[in-house]
């Protein structure tokens, strides 16, 4: 096996089911030891990608490398990957110990080593006191831990997780997110995590790929994809975004310095990911609600837009304002400094933002 | 009828009426289902060759006569031999067809599924006559072999139905999980799929065995000179003086079968309890 910095590499990988293109030419490089997420809505091809990595589906085109080794034709039982199923898929007729020992026993190592490794794995997930229990006598969270132990005990090059927290309730899910991250750091295995839950992906991942319609829209750290989305889809899918459609009027080094939005010439400065902008390009300005501020009067020196308060919703630590701007466009504003007395429904206000927080995506 | 609902309803006049109605209804169903068997058993102890009242007095002589009749034992032995071969063959065919039809997607899968299920809905009389025509057209001599073949035809689709229902209910990812953890296809089958099918295989065996052992109509057409127990019963019925003896041996065979089947079912339930499974999953799903 050649030494490779990447635990997993996909080169122009596609998967067709008959006429349906599930995965459409994706490229991906995941370094050793990284927590990487494939994030996207259902039907975006993320699970198919995962199943190709696990060996349950064969790529129609492209090359798949595991730890630097071309692996397209390696059957699942010889692959150095393990999958944690959404349904856990624990063997119901085997105890916790037997479930976790299933992989090591197939590797034909001595029973003493099997025992040692199984107990190690169970201790990592804190289930070592349940060795003799049957899966059906465990809670959802406990089954989840056993499924994880059953996978990490094999020390795979890549550990694949298919929405493993989907069946748990919210509180347990939050707990397991941190737990998964801890376990991943502890074992140092590369995790590839499939989810449609952007918050989950943001919480745990070192990097993530946002997928849509079989393609990767953007790869980057959670901060990058949040603050500098490459496409309109990413901007809308990750977090909450106000999108203002406009036309570029001036450009400096590929980034728009002035954009007119829907007739009202709202002048702004924006960064721009992806392709460089040119004058006349149609762009969408991405404004995160927490980057918007409310004013009674037009503020000086910052880009601003007039509007009227439609709703002011108390949300505990902050207040969410819904502002109707010109052209009946609605903006969501999370202003920690404004109070409901300052801006009540019906009031005329100004919405401002700092130019450095504005980001433009080319349509 | 649950105790809770009858207690709750029992406090009203309407409830009492409904309770009375349900009791009568249950008694009627019970009478229709078990009446004939009970009459058979009662008259096997009657000291008369006439099947009718008044009762002439109790006797066990018909049982003694039955025990001395060599044809009974020969025919029972034949039936046991046939069922003992038909059962494993049907289970094997049922298992392989069930795995093929549930696991794989292939052309004509629907058609093949329909063909496998067909013997369950075609009248056994038609299958019996058809088998006879087929065997005589192909010059296959009638005997144990032809009985066995025709029994497999009617019995293995039952095993297929039970086993594929269970395979559908099993978590579809269990097989993939086994492969993912390094098991070969054969190991996945041996270590994961088969152990989970054992209770269903046992239940299928019980059903297939009793179908084969009790079958008259298909055996009748394909037996040639062989006598299975149901065929012996049918042929002996024509001699009126042997009728009580038939009653006696039929009662005995029925009792033994009920004991064997109930015993096997209970044993199966204990095994499944120990594994944390519910036996009802086999017949009514979980």
């Amino acid at each position: 096996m050649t030494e490779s910095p990447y635990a997993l590499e996909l080169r122009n990988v596609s998967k067709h089911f008959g006429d349906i293109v599930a995965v459409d030419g994706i490229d991906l490089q995941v370094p050793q030891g990284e927590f990487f997420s494939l994030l996207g809505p259902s039907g975006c091809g993320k699970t198919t990608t995962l199943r190709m990595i696990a060996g349950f589906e064969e790529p129609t085109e492209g090359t798949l490398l595991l730890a630097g080794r071309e692996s397209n034709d390696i059957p699942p039982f010889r692959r150095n990957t393990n999958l944690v199923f959404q349904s856990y898929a624990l063997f119901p007729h085997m105890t916790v110990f037997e479930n976790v020992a299933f992989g090591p026993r197939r590797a034909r190592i001595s029973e003493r080593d099997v025992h040692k490794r199984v107990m190690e794995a169970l201790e990592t997930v804190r289930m070592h006191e349940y060795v003799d229990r049957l899966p059906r006598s465990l809670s959802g969270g406990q089954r989840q831990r056993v499924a994880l132990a059953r996978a990490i005990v094999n020390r795979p090059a890549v550990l694949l997780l298919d929405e493993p927290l989907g069946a748990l309730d919210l509180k347990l899910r939050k707990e397991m997110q941190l737990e998964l991250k801890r376990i991943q750091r502890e074992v140092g295995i590369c995790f590839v995590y499939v989810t449609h839950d952007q918050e989950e992906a943001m919480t745990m991942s070192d990097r993530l790929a946002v997928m849509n319609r079989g393609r990767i829209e953007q790869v980057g750290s959670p901060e990058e994809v949040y603050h500098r989305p490459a496409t309109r889809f990413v901007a809308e899918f990750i977090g909450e975004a106000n999108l203002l459609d406009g036309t570029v009027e001036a450009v400096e080094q590929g980034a728009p310095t002035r954009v007119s939005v829907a007739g009202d010439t709202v002048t702004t400065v924006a960064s721009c990911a992806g392709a460089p902008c040119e004058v006349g390009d149609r762009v969408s300005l991405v404004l995160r609600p927490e980057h918007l501020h409310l004013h009674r009067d037009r503020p000086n020196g910052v880009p601003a837009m007039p509007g009227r308060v439609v709703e002011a919703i108390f949300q505990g630590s902050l207040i969410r304002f819904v502002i109707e701007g010109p052209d009946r466009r609605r903006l969501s504003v999370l202003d920690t400094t404004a109070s409901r007395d300052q801006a009540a429904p019906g009031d005329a206000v100004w919405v401002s933002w700092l130019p450095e927080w504005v980001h433009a995506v080319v349509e | 009828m649950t105790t809770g609902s009858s207690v709750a309803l029992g406090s009203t006049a309407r409830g009492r009426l409904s309770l009375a109605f349900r009791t009568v209804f249950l008694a009627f169903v019970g009478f229709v289902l078990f009446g004939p068997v009970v009459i058979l058993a009662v008259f096997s102890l009657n000291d008369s060759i006439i099947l009718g009242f008044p009762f002439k007095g109790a006797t066990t002589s018909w049982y003694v006569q039955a025990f001395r009749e060599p044809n009974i034992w020969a025919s029972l032995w034949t039936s046991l031999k046939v069922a003992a071969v038909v059962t494993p063959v049907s289970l094997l065919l049922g298992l392989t067809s069930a795995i093929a039809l549930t696991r794989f997607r292939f052309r004509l899968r629907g058609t093949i599924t329909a063909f496998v299920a067909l013997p369950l809905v075609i009248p056994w009389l038609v299958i019996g006559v058809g088998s006879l025509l087929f065997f005589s057209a192909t010059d296959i001599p009638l005997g144990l072999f032809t009985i066995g073949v025709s029994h497999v035809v009617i019995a293995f689709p039952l095993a297929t139905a039970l086993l594929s229902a269970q395979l559908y209910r099993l978590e579809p990812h269990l097989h993939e999980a086994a492969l993912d953890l390094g098991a070969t296809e054969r190991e996945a089958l041996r270590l994961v799929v088969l152990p989970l099918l054992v209770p269903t295989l046992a239940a299928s065996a019980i059903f297939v065995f009793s179908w084969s052992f009790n079958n008259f109509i298909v055996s009748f057409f394909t037996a040639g000179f062989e006598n299975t127990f149901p065929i012996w019963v049918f042929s002996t019925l024509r001699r009126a003086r042997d009728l009580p003896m038939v009653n006696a041996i039929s009662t005995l065979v029925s009792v033994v079968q009920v004991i064997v089947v109930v015993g096997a079912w209970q044993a199966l339930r204990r095994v499944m309890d120990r594994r944390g499974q519910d036996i009802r999953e086999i017949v009514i799903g979980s």
Side-chain angles (χ1 to χ4, degrees), chain A residues 90 239 279 328 331:
Chain A
L90 295 177
V279 172
R328 304 190 65 78
L331 294 177

Side-chain angles (χ1 to χ4, degrees), chain B residues 118-120 122-132 150 153-154 218 222:
Chain B
L118 216 49
L120 293 176
I122 292 181
W124 285 357
L125 179 65
V126 174
I127 292 178
V129 174
S131 301
L132 177 60
S150 55
V153 167
I154 57 165
V218 174
T222 54

Side-chain angles (χ1 to χ4, degrees), chain A residues 296-325:
Chain A
R296 285 231 160 250
D297 308 304
R298 175 167 201 153
N300 289 324
V302 285
M305 238 172 69
R308 213 163 34 77
V309 179
V310 180
E311 269 179 282
I313 305 152
F314 177 67
Q315 291 190 328
S317 54
L318 38 77
I319 295 165
R320 174 184 302 276
F321 296 96
V322 180
I323 309 295
E324 194 169 85

